[in-house]
Amino acid sequence: VQLYRQTLDPVYLRRAVARTAEMVRRFAAPDGGFTQSGVGNAPLPLRLKETYDGALPSGNAMAALALVQLAELTGDPAWQTQAAAQLQFLAGAMLHEPYGHSVAALAMMRALSDPPSLLCAVEEEDETLRRALVDFAAQADAHVLLLTKDNQALLHQLAPRSKEIPVQAQARYFLCAHGACYPPVDSLKDVAGLWGWAGGR
């Protein structure tokens, strides 16, 4: 996910989706959460589901963070459902021992903060546009998708909402923030004006 955020190359998003799907397939427990031993490993008397952060974050906390990020980036209902289920699984442990579940709390805060989501659609990208979008994502803590003629087939698979957006010669920006989606605009400066972000150019 971080490689995608730095490059906006959907190949990295595809890898994130594939690896997260593999995590779910191998480690998800029927009664919620993720176990430390995967499907296909030697049978154990007890399949542990650690939630407490030690020197390293717990696997369940990192799973929650990964699922929340994928749900936000792709807008895919399947990932949204999976992320919500994982947060629900962690909620009780977080309530009883909040100081031992800081990464889980980070994932919960991320899900509840509803960061802005921006899709830029353009036939041909260039490095200036890509860099501006990466900077926007970092400064505004936004999720950004860059849809082009060359990557639209792949992005349509990964982010279903992108199927509704046409690509054209001039870049168009589609912003969703504060629980609403705004009419498309033609510049990042206009995007900033829609919701009052002070870092727009």
Side-chain angles (χ1 to χ4, degrees):
V1 168
Q2 294 306 318
L3 283 170
Y4 172 76
R5 288 174 64 91
Q6 291 300 315
T7 64
L8 300 183
D9 184 342
V11 168
Y12 293 116
L13 186 56
R14 178 177 62 189
R15 291 179 186 175
V17 167
R19 291 183 180 183
T20 308
E22 181 74 359
M23 175 188 72
V24 171
R25 186 186 70 79
R26 293 183 60 191
F27 294 95
D31 57 345
F34 292 87
T35 62
Q36 291 179 248
S37 57
V39 172
N41 291 354
L44 298 172
L46 182 65
R47 296 180 69 195
L48 299 177
K49 292 191 287 187
E50 184 62 69
T51 66
Y52 191 88
D53 294 335
L56 296 174
S58 75
N60 271 288
M62 292 304 296
L65 199 56
L67 290 165
V68 166
Q69 290 183 15
L70 274 191
E72 292 172 342
L73 261 175
T74 65
D76 189 326
W79 290 123
Q80 292 171 345
T81 299
Q82 190 80 47
Q86 180 64 3
L87 291 174
Q88 184 175 11
F89 167 75
L90 288 167
M94 292 164 59
L95 180 64
H96 289 100
E97 294 184 88
Y99 294 109
H101 296 84
S102 56
V103 177
L106 180 65
M108 183 74 77
M109 289 171 59
R110 182 76 192 180
L112 294 174
S113 68
D114 190 24
S117 176
L118 179 68
L119 188 148
C120 174
V122 63
E123 285 185 358
E124 304 288 343
E125 64 165 298
D126 58 45
E127 188 58 31
T128 300
L129 173 62
R130 182 186 290 263
R131 194 71 253 164
L133 289 169
V134 169
D135 289 347
F136 175 86
Q139 294 178 32
D141 194 22
H143 293 292
V144 174
L145 296 176
L146 175 57
L147 179 68
T148 70
K149 182 176 60 178
D150 292 335
N151 73 20
Q152 61 183 345
L154 176 55
L155 207 55
H156 287 172
Q157 295 174 17
L158 300 172
R161 68 177 184 269
S162 68
K163 296 177 183 179
E164 304 171 7
I165 308 298
V167 295
Q168 56 189 40
Q170 180 181 351
R172 300 217 82 191
Y173 300 85
F174 300 79
L175 175 71
C176 294
H178 307 311
C181 291
Y182 298 88
V185 294
D186 297 326
S187 73
L188 279 177
K189 184 176 181 180
D190 291 335
V191 170
L194 289 177
W195 60 294
W197 178 60
R201 292 196 281 260

